Amino acid sequence: MSYQKQALKSLALAAALLASHAAFASDDKLIDSVYGEFATGTQTQMVRAGVTSDWSQRWFQSNGTHLSGYWDANAGAWQANRYQNVEGAKQNLYDIGFTPVFRFERDDKKGFYAEGGIGVHLLSKLYDNATYRLSTHFQFGDHVGVGYVFNNKWEVGMKIQHFSNGGYKKPNTGVNFLNIKAAYHF
């Protein structure tokens, strides 16, 4: 299956999740937002769709801001464009992930925010692209990001994300991505 078809399937999944938001409109909803991301790294692209569930906790509440967070469950498709360091050779793989994310935001959850999280990901194949290799299917995924939530419940954001197995098996060069995110909050 081509990368473009994988990307379209991921975006279709995000659209289906967005369309189903009416089912989660009550106060005791499980899913609070859906999102899609496009990311790029060293000769690698990724598309990802995910859902989030807000925490009800607020810490350090002061001057109209607080620290809170959300659970993030996602699935992504990667396309590496230099498999085993061969120009033009491609590698497609998938990942599923789960991440607790801390977010510093306004009390009304609108406007600018900053966030960071460390979670777990499972890759469908061992990543081997350009000079970057990951020797395990299990990876930690950490990120820091910033964004803006509009009054119409749409959000745009950008984050830097790093994948690594924490050094428990070599080689472990790690992989970095710059992600652009669009989300809708219910």
Side-chain angles (χ1 to χ4, degrees):
M1 179 182 299
S2 74
Y3 180 72
Q4 290 79 12
K5 285 183 182 178
Q6 294 168 0
L8 287 174
K9 282 186 176 185
S10 295
L11 292 175
L13 172 64
L17 291 170
L18 181 59
S20 69
H21 87 284
F24 303 103
S26 69
D27 288 337
D28 56 348
K29 58 191 171 192
L30 175 63
I31 297 174
D32 294 293
S33 70
V34 295
Y35 70 89
E37 286 183 340
F38 175 77
T40 185
T42 303
Q43 298 188 20
T44 305
Q45 293 79 41
M46 175 181 29
V47 293
R48 176 184 292 145
V51 296
T52 69
S53 180
D54 287 342
W55 302 342
S56 60
Q57 297 293 321
R58 291 186 179 196
W59 301 284
F60 309 109
Q61 198 162 5
S62 176
N63 297 322
T65 62
H66 67 273
L67 179 66
S68 186
Y70 59 90
W71 300 108
D72 178 353
N74 58 70
W78 302 21
Q79 182 180 50
N81 298 318
R82 195 178 177 106
Y83 179 58
Q84 295 182 331
N85 213 14
V86 175
E87 187 70 38
K90 299 202 182 306
Q91 177 188 33
N92 295 317
L93 59 99
Y94 304 96
D95 87 275
I96 56 172
F98 185 75
T99 305
V101 179
F102 288 93
R103 181 179 275 197
F104 182 75
E105 61 192 350
R106 288 182 7 190
D107 287 344
D108 64 2
K109 296 189 173 208
K110 306 282 190 248
F112 288 103
Y113 68 82
E115 68 178 28
I118 300 174
V120 293
H121 290 261
L122 185 63
L123 304 180
S124 63
K125 297 178 185 174
L126 297 180
Y127 180 83
D128 184 358
N129 190 59
T131 58
Y132 298 92
R133 292 181 58 208
L134 300 173
S135 60
T136 59
H137 292 277
F138 172 81
Q139 297 292 314
F140 295 103
D142 53 78
H143 78 270
V144 293
V146 295
Y148 190 88
V149 180
F150 295 93
N151 286 332
N152 62 2
K153 299 184 180 182
W154 281 96
E155 170 188 330
V156 293
M158 181 172 35
K159 66 184 179 186
I160 297 171
Q161 186 165 32
H162 175 74
F163 289 90
S164 169
N165 67 23
Y168 71 86
K169 186 173 180 187
K170 303 291 182 189
N172 180 47
T173 55
V175 180
N176 298 315
F177 287 98
L178 177 62
N179 302 34
I180 303 297
K181 173 182 178 180
Y184 183 79
H185 297 266
F186 307 127

